Amino acid sequence: MNRREFLKHALTVAAFAPMTSLVAKEGLDGDKSSEGKGRQITRRRYKNTALTVPLLGFGMMRLPRLSPDKPDIDYATTEKQIAMAMEVGLNYFDTAYFYHDGLSEKCAGDLLSRYPRDRYYLVSKMPVRALKKEADVERIWNEQLARCKTEYFDFYLVHNLNRERWADTGKFHVYEFLKRKQKEGKIRKLGFSFHDEPEVLKVIAEAHPWDFGQIQLNYLDWTIYRSREQYEILTKLGIPVIVMEPLRGGALATLNPEATAVFKKADPAVSTASWALRYAASLPNVLCVLSGMTLTEHLEDNIRTFTDFQPLTDAERKTIEAALAAYRKSGAIACTECRYCTPCPAGVNIPRVFGLYNQAKTTGNTGHFRLVYDKMSPDEKASACVDCGACLKKCPQHIPIPEILKKIASEMEAPQKKIAVHPVPDYESFV
Ligand code: SF4
Ligand code: SF4
């Protein structure tokens, strides 16, 4: 983002009256959800109601695992993280039907049900891509209630909408079903999450009186993924925004050395992740920023960022602009490691291959890449792709997966070939 875009952005943001307002102290929450003592993270008020939401949400998509390649969750660590979160009023827990192959909802049920139900917000989503017929909507809903050990959801979303899934949402009367559940008191706030072009978002957002919308937003995607237009559409319609992927699957927490140096020069005491989280949370119509905090250190760092939250200053925005310019030179792929493209019928471990490749690109450490990559089974490697195209429709980032895998195979699987460090083509050329 160049300086002109930044200034334009600041003016645009100022033009919108905020749907949400900062509530920095405890005791203002009509939901009794921040009764802990000591430091509390900043909350935002939902429109002009007594409902307040922590500005940082606990994403349950990337929970600590028992083994890196299996979905099984490390309950002992997660339990400690939840306790730490609850202590500081971080009580918005975002799970979904598919996270950790279904184990995330179960984990939310097992671990959160130990707390009084009015002390936390439980959030899940209707997986439209799993629906084959209308009866599946009720079957999955009931399954989710049972997994989550709850009788209601505080926030509930139609999951991962795009043009095709929006058509299925209509075909299977998903909205009508969920609206009935809301009237029965089983859903407090009804929204949707979204991955597609702003033009599609506008159609969806205007179709119903949604309580909130969840979009991918971070300083890298503000222009290349058109997050800015998405944010503005929701804001104009008076729909509060929940942010997902503020760190772009962790990529904005581990930038290349050049970009990291820009941040460290500006403030050696704060993490690279903190800059990205503050970027998203500084937007006035953002109700909550979700972060999947696999390591306890991530959680601790994020709690620091969101305690007495400070929006970005103009000088800090310029620092992000400079770091972004340095990051663009690294050549990383736009993969967020969300795993939506899995399983690949040929067995390629797409998120793992892309994750390792990005690590090599951003750190310049090809040795680590070879160490791990060479131990992967031949089926999991980039060269195992048979170009069937099955993954293409599933990737919310619109990454041309087989094309990139071919490039990685030729670049990384040739014996002792050094990784070429060069600027990757602009993201738009990938979509
Ligand atoms: S195109 Fe390649 S990576 Fe994608 S699903 Fe087919 S074989 Fe797997
Ligand atoms: S390639 Fe796309 S779908 Fe697969 S993990 Fe990366 S971002 Fe997610």
Side-chain angles (χ1 to χ4, degrees):
M1 188 182 311
N2 61 34
R3 182 171 151 69
R4 176 182 291 184
E5 282 168 338
F6 252 108
L7 289 171
K8 205 168 157 201
H9 160 217
L11 289 171
T12 308
V13 164
F16 293 120
M19 272 6 108
T20 55
S21 59
L22 280 175
V23 181
K25 300 284 178 203
E26 62 179 304
L28 293 175
D29 184 356
D31 301 287
K32 297 189 293 176
S33 48
S34 59
E35 290 173 343
K37 299 221 169 8
R39 68 179 175 158
Q40 293 285 298
I41 65 168
T42 299
R43 304 182 76 81
R44 276 207 170 134
R45 191 179 293 286
Y46 180 85
K47 297 188 172 175
N48 291 319
T49 69
L51 175 70
T52 67
V53 175
L55 194 44
L56 172 67
F58 194 116
M60 302 187 81
M61 180 188 193
R62 299 183 178 95
L63 292 169
R65 290 168 186 257
L66 290 172
S67 130
D69 290 327
K70 293 203 178 122
D72 305 68
I73 295 162
D74 173 353
Y75 265 48
T77 307
T78 307
E79 186 179 8
K80 281 186 201 142
Q81 292 179 348
I82 288 175
M84 191 185 289
M86 291 291 281
E87 182 65 25
V88 297
L90 198 179
N91 63 344
Y92 185 102
F93 294 92
D94 176 88
T95 181
Y97 191 72
F98 286 125
Y99 292 176
H100 286 264
D101 292 351
L103 296 176
S104 173
E105 282 186 335
K106 184 175 174 340
C107 177
D110 291 342
L111 298 182
L112 288 169
S113 58
R114 298 173 188 177
Y115 294 87
R117 186 63 186 82
D118 66 349
R119 291 292 306 277
Y120 61 92
Y121 300 147
L122 185 55
V123 187
S124 198
K125 313 178 184 83
M126 177 57 62
V128 180
R129 83 170 149 104
L131 304 176
K132 302 283 178 268
K133 55 186 183 306
E134 189 164 341
D136 288 340
V137 180
E138 182 150 26
R139 175 183 59 77
I140 288 175
W141 166 263
N142 287 330
E143 200 182 329
Q144 289 180 303
L145 289 178
R147 277 181 183 176
C148 293
K149 297 194 167 101
T150 187
E151 291 182 351
Y152 68 95
F153 290 102
D154 300 275
F155 289 74
Y156 193 86
L157 302 88
V158 186
H159 197 183
N160 197 3
L161 284 181
N162 58 19
R163 193 185 300 274
E164 291 77 33
R165 289 195 196 107
W166 180 236
D168 284 347
T169 302
K171 188 163 85 183
F172 299 131
H173 302 106
V174 173
Y175 180 83
E176 292 74 10
F177 174 88
L178 297 176
K179 205 64 195 165
R180 275 201 305 281
K181 291 296 161 196
Q182 192 173 32
K183 283 197 181 117
E184 290 167 16
K186 307 269 185 191
I187 293 174
R188 207 168 174 188
K189 297 286 177 205
L190 177 58
F192 64 93
S193 64
F194 178 82
H195 281 289
D196 207 327
E197 302 290 316
E199 293 74 16
V200 181
L201 175 65
K202 192 162 184 299
V203 172
I204 295 172
E206 287 175 347
H208 299 298
W210 301 101
D211 296 321
F212 64 102
Q214 185 165 303
I215 55 171
Q216 175 170 324
L217 190 156
N218 53 64
Y219 59 74
L220 184 60
D221 287 323
W222 188 247
T223 50
I224 61 173
Y225 195 72
R226 300 175 69 192
S227 302
R228 172 196 173 152
E229 290 167 68
Q230 298 185 23
Y231 173 80
E232 289 175 356
I233 287 168
L234 295 178
T235 303
K236 274 186 190 153
L237 290 169
I239 301 173
V241 171
I242 306 270
V243 170
M244 59 183 160
E245 302 292 1
L247 301 177
R248 222 176 199 289
L252 302 185
T254 51
L255 299 170
N256 54 329
E258 294 78 8
T260 306
V262 173
F263 284 134
K264 287 296 164 199
K265 189 174 169 210
D267 189 344
V270 302
S271 67
T272 308
S274 170
W275 286 88
L277 292 169
R278 286 179 63 218
Y279 179 90
S282 294
L283 292 161
N285 188 34
V286 166
L287 185 63
C288 179
V289 176
L290 296 174
S291 180
M293 299 163 277
T294 310
L295 301 177
T296 304
E297 300 91 273
H298 298 161
L299 175 59
E300 286 166 346
D301 185 45
N302 289 356
I303 289 172
R304 273 193 295 279
T305 302
F306 283 91
T307 303
D308 289 330
F309 177 77
Q310 300 300 321
L312 291 173
T313 63
D314 288 346
E316 287 172 328
R317 286 185 181 280
K318 282 179 193 150
T319 300
I320 290 181
E321 186 183 339
L324 181 57
Y327 178 69
R328 281 185 192 281
K329 292 180 186 154
S330 73
I333 303 160
C335 175
T336 62
E337 297 185 49
C338 68
R339 307 189 65 81
Y340 287 172
C341 54
T342 62
C344 153
V348 180
N349 192 336
I350 305 164
R352 187 90 176 113
V353 171
F354 285 178
L356 282 170
Y357 183 80
N358 278 352
Q359 230 179 347
K361 284 286 183 181
T362 52
T363 60
N365 184 354
T366 56
H368 175 75
F369 178 92
R370 293 226 163 269
L371 207 65
V372 182
Y373 194 76
D374 289 350
K375 283 193 190 139
M376 286 169 69
S377 82
D379 283 356
E380 288 187 304
K381 291 184 177 175
S383 55
C385 172
V386 294
D387 207 358
C388 71
C391 54
L392 285 169
K393 273 201 211 154
K394 296 184 197 163
C395 177
Q397 312 302 326
H398 309 297
I399 296 169
I401 297 170
E403 188 184 314
I404 304 278
L405 286 172
K406 248 181 238 149
K407 176 177 176 297
I408 295 177
S410 71
E411 198 178 316
M412 309 296 271
E413 291 184 26
Q416 301 309 316
K417 194 171 172 186
K418 202 173 176 301
I419 299 178
V421 178
H422 55 80
V424 138
D426 221 22
Y427 180 73
E428 276 88 346
S429 64
F430 282 167
V431 295

